[in-house]
């Protein structure tokens, strides 16, 4: 099949190139515009309590005031606020109100009694922004306008004015995301061009994967993803764009290397350019297609996730991988077919000389001679690192971890947690509602508030009353504002909210029910959803990848130990990241979605390298070599490709660490380290060593390693070319 594809592409190279350009323009031109979702609660299904609480709040309190932005005041000299400062704050609040900023519905005045910190140095005003604008650009724009206008009004007053809260966080997160995208893209571009250029000692070879990935594959993928989001009503996360860059460029470079190494190898065997391209596609096409299939399946299975951020991210990445693989199997060989081989590898002068590959030859000999020892050592490394992951602890401060600490919303959040109750930044809400239509009595409300106040970790509870407008118009629902002692996104706060739920449910009077809402409640439900995903998504993905491996390798045995090795790679990556960030750096935990991302890239892309190595091992076995000889040759000839691809992808992921925030530092380190494990420990040593130990049993019940089985020497050279028969044993 892939030999026929290679011949088709080579014969119609210019038509293939033209078709891709036309398709790219059409897909990009017709793609709808997509808005990223920054509200964590929007990613949860409706059956979770936090979402039900939000729906009840909207129904019972349609005009309820939930602050979307927080205005923080303090003196420039750090002293306590004075009576004159109170007048200045009133002037600023009134000025902002008079400015009639779009989407801003209400700005509460600074209450001298309730809106100041205990030390008197800070004061707070709360801003209500239209809830219907949360998914639009008007939401962060409102925060931006508040900052600009408030700073002007505060000028000369001796006060420092800052804006925090959800809208400001959304604004800062968007700015940080744009900067991160640029850093990641530029860093990855430079790395790919330099490293691929050095590997092939060529300028054009370094540029080609970048052009193919970012000029064709990336726009096509983005257009198709936008169509999928619109058609299937998926959510879009701000981090998708940065990850998409790495996936398309990283996977595209990997597949370009798979093809180019084989292309150069065929040229060295004496084939002309077009025959070499066609045979390279025939030889490595199945590995690329199987690898892309495994990666796409691993990504796509996230559609089963309980969290909207993953149900959108998974299919998006799957689409990107499929688009990139199609580019690699058709457009890349078409481009190589029309460019003279000397130009592709210029200015290198020894590209036609077969190198001795002394290091990889030595590694291959070691694996072939002592497969048991190699498997024991490499497997032992993976197992020890996996055991280090038992101390993993998840954290949920997504906004804070995805932005540098110097961003204004982060500064406000830190000051709120020290000057006020840590939970002031985003209080929780407990809704008590009658189920038989009767009104809630004052005594019932007071008794219920007392039970909530008694929960350890609760700083204060505001009992609903007609004065604070926390009782619904029909008197059947009360909104209890609960301030927690700990930061809303902390694990302590999440543990507290679980106790608040238990107490609220147990203490709800007869013919009433209680629902707990707020951002901490959302994080608690995300925690529950993640546990569900781990028990559903991972096993299904593993099963589907094993089926793909079984079909590609025509074996029942090989997929089991290949997936076991990838599982150890996952555990080893999580363990190493836990040690570095929790034990050494002192972080309270790792971001809650990190295991999913490690799964996405280490498990999925790590399978790529396993497939490439074992496909080469099978090819060598078909030439009549023993299992140990095949392992030796697979490492010798496939090792350089895996090493180059793994190094480039790991370096690309490492560029995340330049973004300057905790989330991307953790992502960058874990994914780079995981790819290094997958390429240099798992694929280079563990997999070929185990295959050598199992011998022919690895291919049971088929005979995929039998001499003459499969494509053998491939089809005849292209008509009109000067193909040269291959030397015996090197077909």
């Amino acid at each position: 099949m892939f030999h026929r594809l290679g011949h088709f592409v080579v014969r119609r190279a210019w038509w293939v190139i033209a078709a891709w350009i036309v398709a790219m323009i059409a897909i990009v031109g017709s793609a709808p515009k997509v808005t990223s979702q920054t509200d964590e609660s929007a990613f949860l299904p409706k059956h979770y309590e936090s979402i039900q609480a939000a729906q009840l709040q909207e129904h019972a309190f349609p005009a309820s005031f939930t602050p979307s932005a927080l205005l923080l005041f303090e003196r420039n000299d750090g002293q306590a606020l004075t009576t004159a400062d109170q007048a200045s704050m009133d002037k600023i609040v009134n000025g902002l109100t008079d400015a009639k900023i779009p989407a801003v519905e209400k700005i509460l005045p600074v209450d001298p009694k309730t809106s100041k910190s205990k030390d008197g140095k800070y004061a707070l005003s709360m801003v209500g922004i239209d809830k219907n604008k949360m998914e639009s650009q008007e939401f962060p724009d409102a925060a931006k306008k508040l900052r600009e206008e408030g700073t002007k009004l505060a000028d000369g007053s001796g006060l420092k004015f800052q804006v925090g809260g959800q809208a400001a966080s959304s604004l800062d997160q968007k700015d940080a995301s744009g900067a991160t995208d640029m850093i990641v893209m530029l860093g990855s571009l430079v790395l790919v061009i330099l490293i691929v250029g050095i590997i092939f000692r060529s300028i054009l070879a370094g540029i080609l994967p970048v052009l193919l990935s970012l000029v064709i594959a990336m726009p096509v993928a983005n257009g198709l993803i936008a169509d999928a989001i619109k058609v299937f009503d998926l959510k879009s996360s701000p981090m998708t764009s940065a990850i998409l860059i790495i996936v398309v460029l990283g996977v595209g470079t990997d597949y370009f290397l798979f093809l180019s190494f084989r292309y150069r190898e065929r040229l060295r065997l004496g084939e002309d350019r077009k025959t070499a391209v066609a045979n390279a596609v025939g030889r490595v096409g199945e590995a690329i297609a199987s690898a892309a299939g495994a990666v796409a399946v691993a990504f796509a299975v996230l559609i089963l996730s309980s969290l909207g951020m993953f149900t959108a991210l998974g299919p998006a990445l799957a689409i990107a991988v499929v688009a990139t693989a199609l580019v690699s199997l058709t457009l890349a060989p078409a481009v190589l077919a029309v460019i003279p081989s000397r130009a592709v590898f210029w200015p290198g002068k020894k590209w036609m000389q077969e190198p001795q590959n002394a290091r990889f030859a030595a590694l291959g000999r070691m694996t072939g001679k002592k497969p048991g020892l190699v498997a024991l050592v490499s497997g032992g490394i993976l197992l020890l690192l996996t055991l280090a992951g038992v101390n993993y602890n998840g954290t949920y401060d997504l906004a804070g971890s995805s932005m540098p600490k110097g961003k204004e919303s982060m500064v406000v959040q830190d000051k709120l947690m020290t000057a006020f109750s840590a939970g002031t930044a985003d209080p929780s809400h407990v809704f008590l509602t009658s189920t038989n239509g009767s009104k809630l009595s004052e005594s019932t409300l007071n008794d219920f508030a007392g039970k909530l106040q008694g929960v350890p970790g609760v700083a204060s509870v505001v009992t609903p009353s007609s004065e604070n407008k926390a009782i619904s118009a029909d008197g059947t629902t009360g909104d209890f504002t609960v301030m927690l002692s700990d930061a809303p996104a902390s694990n302590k706060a999440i543990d507290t909210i679980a106790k608040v739920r238990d107490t609220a449910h147990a203490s709800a009077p007869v013919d009433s029910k209680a629902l707990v809402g707020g951002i901490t409640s959302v994080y608690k439900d995300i925690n529950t959803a993640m546990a569900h995903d781990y028990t559903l998504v991972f096993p299904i993905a593993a099963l589907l990848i094993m089926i793909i491996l079984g079909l590609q390798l025509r074996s029942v045995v090989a997929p089991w130990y290949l997936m076991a090795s990838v599982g150890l790679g996952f555990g080893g990556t999580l363990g190493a990241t836990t040690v570095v960030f929790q034990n050494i750096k002192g972080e309270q935990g790792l971001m809650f979605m990190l295991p999913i991302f490690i799964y996405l890239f280490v498990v999925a892309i790590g399978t790529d390298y396993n497939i490439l190595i074992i496909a080469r091992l099978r090819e060598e076995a078909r030439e009549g070599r023993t299992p140990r000889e095949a392992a030796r040759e697979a490492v010798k000839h496939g090792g350089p490709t895996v090493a180059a691809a793994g190094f480039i992808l790991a370096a690309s992921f490492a560029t995340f660490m330049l973004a300057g925030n905790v989330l991307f530092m953790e992502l960058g380190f874990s994914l780079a380290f995981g790819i290094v494990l997958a390429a240099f420990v798992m694929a280079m040593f563990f997999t070929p060593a185990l295959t050598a130990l199992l011998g022919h049993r690895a291919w049971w019940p088929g005979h995929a390693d039998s001499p003459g089985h499969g494509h053998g020497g491939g089809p005849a050279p292209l008509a009109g070319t000067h193909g040269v028969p291959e030397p015996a044993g090197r077909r």
Side-chain angles (χ1 to χ4, degrees):
M1 171 182 173
F2 290 99
H3 273 291
R4 289 194 295 271
L5 175 64
H7 282 260
F8 174 84
V9 169
V10 167
R11 287 193 181 100
R12 296 167 178 80
W14 285 111
W15 284 103
V16 171
I17 294 170
W20 269 107
I21 293 173
V22 171
M24 185 267 290
I25 294 172
I27 290 171
V28 172
S30 62
K33 186 177 180 180
V34 175
T35 302
S36 293
Q37 174 61 259
T38 57
D39 178 17
E40 286 93 341
S41 65
F43 293 110
L44 279 169
K46 304 302 181 186
H47 66 270
Y48 283 98
E49 183 171 345
S50 59
I51 306 303
Q52 292 177 356
Q55 292 172 337
L56 175 60
Q57 181 183 28
E58 190 172 340
H59 173 73
F61 304 96
S64 65
F65 178 78
T66 302
S68 299
L70 302 171
L71 311 182
L72 185 68
F73 299 91
E74 61 180 301
R75 287 178 60 90
N76 289 327
D77 59 11
Q79 299 301 310
L81 295 164
T82 65
T83 304
D85 294 327
Q86 178 69 46
S88 297
M89 290 186 289
D90 291 341
K91 182 181 177 181
I92 294 170
V93 169
N94 291 333
L96 289 172
T97 301
D98 293 339
K100 298 187 183 303
I101 297 170
V104 172
E105 296 180 328
K106 184 188 298 184
I107 305 177
L108 296 186
V110 177
D111 190 316
K113 295 181 180 179
T114 62
S115 301
K116 288 186 178 179
S117 61
K118 293 179 181 179
D119 59 9
K121 293 182 179 181
Y122 299 92
L124 197 62
S125 171
M126 298 184 179
V127 182
I129 298 177
D130 187 351
K131 299 174 186 177
N132 297 320
K133 306 295 184 183
M134 287 186 66
E135 295 187 30
S136 72
Q137 185 59 39
E138 291 182 68
F139 193 65
D141 283 350
K144 184 177 182 180
K145 196 68 175 175
L146 284 168
R147 282 180 180 170
E148 293 172 350
E149 295 297 323
T151 301
K152 291 178 185 176
L153 291 167
D155 188 31
S157 67
L159 293 176
K160 186 175 184 180
F161 171 87
Q162 292 177 296
V163 181
Q166 189 177 3
S169 212
S170 176
L171 174 64
D172 291 340
Q173 196 170 26
K174 183 178 180 181
D175 291 342
S177 176
T180 298
D181 289 357
M182 185 58 65
I183 291 170
V184 169
M185 178 174 284
L186 290 178
S188 301
L189 283 176
V190 171
L191 284 169
V192 169
I193 291 171
L194 283 178
I195 298 172
V196 177
I198 291 171
I199 289 171
F200 289 107
R201 295 176 176 82
S202 163
I203 296 173
L204 186 57
I207 296 173
L208 278 177
V210 172
L211 291 175
L212 293 170
S213 298
L214 297 186
V215 176
I216 301 294
M218 187 74 176
V220 168
N222 274 326
L224 294 175
I225 290 166
D227 289 330
I229 288 174
K230 182 179 180 180
V231 171
F232 298 105
D233 192 27
L234 301 174
K235 303 293 183 183
S236 178
S237 171
M239 67 177 65
T240 301
S241 55
I243 295 171
L244 202 62
I245 293 168
I246 292 296
V247 168
V248 173
L249 187 56
V251 172
T253 302
D254 274 6
Y255 297 161
F256 180 81
L257 287 172
F258 293 0
L259 180 67
S260 297
F261 270 104
R262 273 305 180 96
Y263 172 50
R264 188 177 64 178
E265 185 179 319
R266 307 306 297 182
L267 290 171
R268 286 170 174 169
L269 289 171
E271 294 179 354
D272 65 87
R273 182 177 78 242
K274 292 186 177 182
T275 303
V277 171
N279 282 335
V281 173
R283 293 284 176 156
V284 82
E286 185 180 16
I288 290 175
S290 299
V295 175
V297 163
F299 289 162
V301 170
L302 283 181
I303 196 73
L304 301 175
S305 171
S306 299
L307 295 172
M309 68 174 73
F310 295 128
T311 59
L313 181 63
L317 296 180
I319 290 170
V321 169
V322 171
T324 305
L326 290 173
V327 167
S328 302
L329 288 170
T330 56
L331 182 59
V335 170
L336 291 176
V338 299
I339 300 176
S341 52
R342 290 187 179 276
V344 172
F345 299 109
W346 182 87
K349 298 179 179 178
K350 298 182 179 180
W351 60 273
M352 279 296 288
Q353 298 178 15
E354 181 77 39
Q356 294 302 310
N357 280 335
R359 292 175 185 167
F360 290 99
L363 294 175
R365 286 194 297 272
M366 179 180 69
T367 303
K369 287 182 180 179
K370 301 178 179 179
L373 178 62
V374 170
L376 183 64
V377 172
S378 56
I381 292 171
L382 294 172
L383 184 60
L384 286 174
L385 289 172
T386 298
L387 293 175
V390 296
N391 293 323
Y392 161 77
N393 185 40
T395 58
Y396 294 83
D397 186 8
L398 180 59
S401 296
S402 60
M403 287 186 285
K405 296 298 182 183
K407 286 289 185 181
E408 188 170 323
S409 58
M410 293 302 302
V411 173
V412 171
Q413 178 177 298
D414 291 342
K415 288 181 178 179
L416 285 174
M417 286 192 293
T418 54
F420 298 85
S421 163
T424 303
D426 213 330
S428 296
H429 293 267
V430 179
F431 299 96
L432 182 65
T433 185
S434 171
T435 56
N436 63 2
S438 61
K439 293 184 178 181
L440 299 171
S441 67
E442 184 177 345
S443 61
T444 296
L445 295 173
N446 289 331
D447 289 344
F448 190 73
K451 298 289 180 60
L452 296 177
Q453 184 67 68
V455 176
V458 172
S460 64
V461 178
V462 178
T463 306
S465 65
S466 56
E467 286 78 13
N468 59 26
K469 298 180 180 180
I471 297 180
S472 63
D474 60 5
T476 61
T477 303
D479 176 3
F480 297 78
T481 300
V482 179
M483 303 288 189
L484 304 180
S485 301
D486 302 292
S490 67
N491 285 320
K492 288 184 178 179
I494 294 171
D495 291 339
T496 298
I497 212 68
K499 298 173 186 174
V500 169
R501 280 184 176 179
D502 292 340
T503 300
H505 297 161
S507 303
V510 177
D511 295 326
S512 69
K513 68 175 181 178
L515 292 172
V516 181
I519 193 64
T520 307
S521 186
V522 169
Y523 290 139
K524 172 61 181 173
D525 288 337
I526 287 177
N527 189 15
T528 303
M530 291 292 292
H532 164 271
D533 289 353
Y534 292 148
T535 58
L536 176 68
V537 175
F538 284 12
I540 292 177
L543 177 63
L544 292 176
I545 292 174
M546 286 181 66
I547 291 173
I548 291 174
L549 290 173
L551 293 173
Q552 193 241 339
L553 300 173
R554 287 80 168 172
S555 166
V556 172
V557 176
W560 285 96
Y561 67 84
L562 288 177
M563 286 306 299
S565 69
V566 170
L568 285 173
F570 169 86
T573 302
L574 185 61
T577 309
T578 300
V579 169
V580 170
F581 285 91
Q582 286 185 204
N583 300 350
I584 298 176
K585 196 171 181 289
E587 297 286 347
Q588 292 185 350
L590 306 178
M591 283 309 299
F592 71 92
M593 78 281 285
L594 198 64
I596 289 283
F597 282 114
I598 293 174
Y599 148 79
L600 281 173
F601 297 104
V602 176
V603 173
I605 296 179
T607 304
D608 277 12
Y609 303 141
N610 263 346
I611 287 174
L612 184 73
I613 282 291
I614 202 164
R616 184 65 189 239
L617 193 151
R618 180 185 61 184
E619 185 178 326
E620 297 296 338
R622 285 172 174 172
E623 301 294 340
R625 294 183 174 85
T626 65
R628 295 194 177 201
E629 291 172 344
R632 179 194 68 204
E633 293 300 310
V635 174
K636 177 182 177 181
H637 295 287
T641 308
V642 168
F647 181 74
I648 290 171
L649 193 57
S652 297
F653 279 130
T655 59
F656 279 175
M657 300 179 72
L658 301 175
N661 62 66
V662 175
L663 172 60
F664 280 97
M665 284 186 68
E666 291 176 357
L667 273 177
F669 173 83
S670 62
L671 300 184
F673 188 86
I675 293 299
V676 167
L677 278 185
F680 295 94
V681 178
M682 183 174 69
M684 197 85 73
F685 296 107
F686 194 58
T687 295
L690 280 179
T691 307
L693 283 173
L694 288 170
H696 296 296
R697 292 186 297 272
W699 309 101
W700 185 86
H703 305 282
D705 64 330
S706 302
H709 188 89
H711 56 241
L718 288 170
T721 62
H722 303 284
V724 178
E726 301 176 40
R730 287 297 307 126
R731 290 183 181 273

